Amino acid sequence: MDYVIRGLKQNEINLLDTFLYEAIFIPEGVQTPSKDIIEHPDLQIYVADFGKKDDVCYVADFDGKVVGAVWTRIINDYGHVDDTTPSLSISLLKEYRNLGIGTELMKQILLTLKEKKYKQVSLSVQKINYAVNMYKKVGFEIVRENKEDYVMICKL
């Protein structure tokens, strides 16, 4: 599959709404929420006013169509560990999952964050999400366990 990993363009920032929605893990048998769920303040912090100094985003571009995104920003979210550690979000359109694209997006953003001299990056993931294994493969470790989710950190 031919795709290109590249930076998010200024005129594509609104695509983050799509990928924020796609990042919501829906367990088997649970009804999919309506798209307006992303308007909730707990979720808007991931995308509102994206493009500030500490914001970083890469997308997977397949034949001119953005099919995945990974982004970080320093926010007080579910995966927050401190005020100097960026929180990571990643998602792909359903039909492009499990093809290795997410891993390549992760590798690119981890490299960039290291080049920017960040010491670590964090994320929150539901325990039953299959992505936990991918996060471990690229270097994330569980640092906190809650009832339903893990907070994971990757040392850079």
Side-chain angles (χ1 to χ4, degrees):
M1 171 172 282
D2 275 346
Y3 61 90
V4 176
I5 304 292
R6 62 169 175 79
L8 180 74
K9 297 174 185 170
Q10 185 69 33
N11 66 344
E12 296 173 322
I13 287 176
N14 64 333
L15 289 175
L16 288 180
D17 286 343
T18 298
F19 291 102
L20 176 61
Y21 182 76
E22 291 297 327
I24 299 169
F25 178 70
I26 313 297
E28 191 81 27
V30 174
Q31 185 174 349
T32 304
S34 66
K35 294 213 188 257
D36 65 356
I37 192 171
I38 66 165
E39 299 304 324
H40 192 281
D42 285 350
L43 295 178
Q44 270 301 295
I45 63 170
Y46 292 95
V47 296
D49 301 320
F50 194 87
K52 295 180 179 168
K53 177 176 77 79
D54 291 311
D55 296 348
V56 178
C57 181
Y58 286 97
V59 297
D61 184 321
F62 177 69
D63 218 14
K65 176 184 179 181
V66 174
V67 300
V70 62
W71 67 101
T72 59
R73 60 189 333 195
I74 296 178
I75 50 176
N76 190 3
D77 68 334
Y78 300 107
H80 180 80
V81 292
D82 63 44
D83 293 338
T84 61
T85 300
S87 294
L88 184 141
S89 302
I90 184 169
S91 70
L92 292 124
L93 300 178
K94 284 181 181 55
E95 59 271 28
Y96 295 91
R97 294 178 187 169
N98 298 308
L99 300 172
I101 299 170
T103 300
E104 292 306 312
L105 282 166
M106 291 290 278
K107 287 178 181 175
Q108 179 60 59
I109 203 162
L110 293 175
L111 179 66
T112 298
L113 293 171
K114 186 175 184 174
E115 289 170 353
K116 290 180 174 275
K117 306 291 187 224
Y118 287 103
K119 292 183 178 15
Q120 61 188 12
V121 61
S122 68
L123 59 80
S124 172
V125 59
Q126 286 190 313
K127 293 176 180 179
I128 60 173
N129 188 330
Y130 64 89
V132 170
N133 292 326
M134 186 266 282
Y135 299 147
K136 287 179 179 178
K137 282 182 189 169
V138 297
F140 280 83
E141 296 177 359
I142 297 166
V143 294
R144 189 168 66 233
E145 186 173 340
N146 301 314
K147 183 179 177 187
E148 294 182 4
D149 67 314
Y150 297 123
V151 174
M152 301 179 81
I153 285 180
C154 180
K155 299 282 186 193
L156 304 168

